[in-house]
């Protein structure tokens, strides 16, 4: 909280989230700032609801995902891994 206040005083914006992995924390900070996920057991359910756009992947990837009907990380996770790897 103190770091956020000090950044705001300097004209910076911050978004913080805590998670068991750096990538998960980054995605949560983009889509759900202030989120705290303490265990890996809770991670999949918390990430699943996030919009796929929180990944920061190139726009063309997001456009393809939307065409496939994929809007959340949970929907993305349910796709067959081999086919997804070939496509992207």
């Amino acid at each position: 909280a103190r770091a956020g206040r000090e950044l705001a005083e300097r004209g910076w914006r911050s978004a913080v989230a805590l998670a068991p992995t750096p990538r998960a924390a980054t995605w949560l900070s983009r889509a759900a700032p202030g989120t705290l996920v303490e265990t890996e057991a809770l991670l999949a359910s918390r990430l699943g609801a996030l919009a796929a756009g929180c990944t920061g992947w190139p726009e063309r990837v997001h456009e393809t995902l939307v065409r496939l009907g994929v809007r959340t990380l949970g929907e993305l996770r349910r796709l067959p891994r081999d086919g997804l790897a070939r496509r992207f």
Side-chain angles (χ1 to χ4, degrees):
R2 185 174 131 210
R5 283 192 305 273
E6 289 181 15
L7 288 169
E9 289 171 5
R10 290 171 174 78
W12 291 69
R13 291 186 340 201
S14 65
V16 176
L18 297 174
T21 68
R23 181 172 294 155
T26 298
W27 291 353
L28 286 164
S29 71
R30 290 175 180 160
T35 300
L36 169 62
V37 180
E38 294 185 33
T39 66
E40 286 198 36
L42 297 172
L43 192 56
S45 66
R46 297 303 294 267
L47 291 176
L50 299 182
C54 74
T55 60
W57 294 337
E59 186 60 33
R60 63 180 172 69
V61 171
H62 292 291
E63 290 168 359
T64 302
L65 290 174
V66 168
R67 282 196 305 275
L68 293 171
V70 175
R71 289 181 171 61
T72 67
L73 294 180
E75 293 169 344
L76 180 64
R77 190 167 188 244
R78 288 189 284 277
L79 293 177
R81 186 171 246 179
D82 289 344
L84 194 61
R86 278 192 308 274
R87 185 167 292 221
F88 297 101

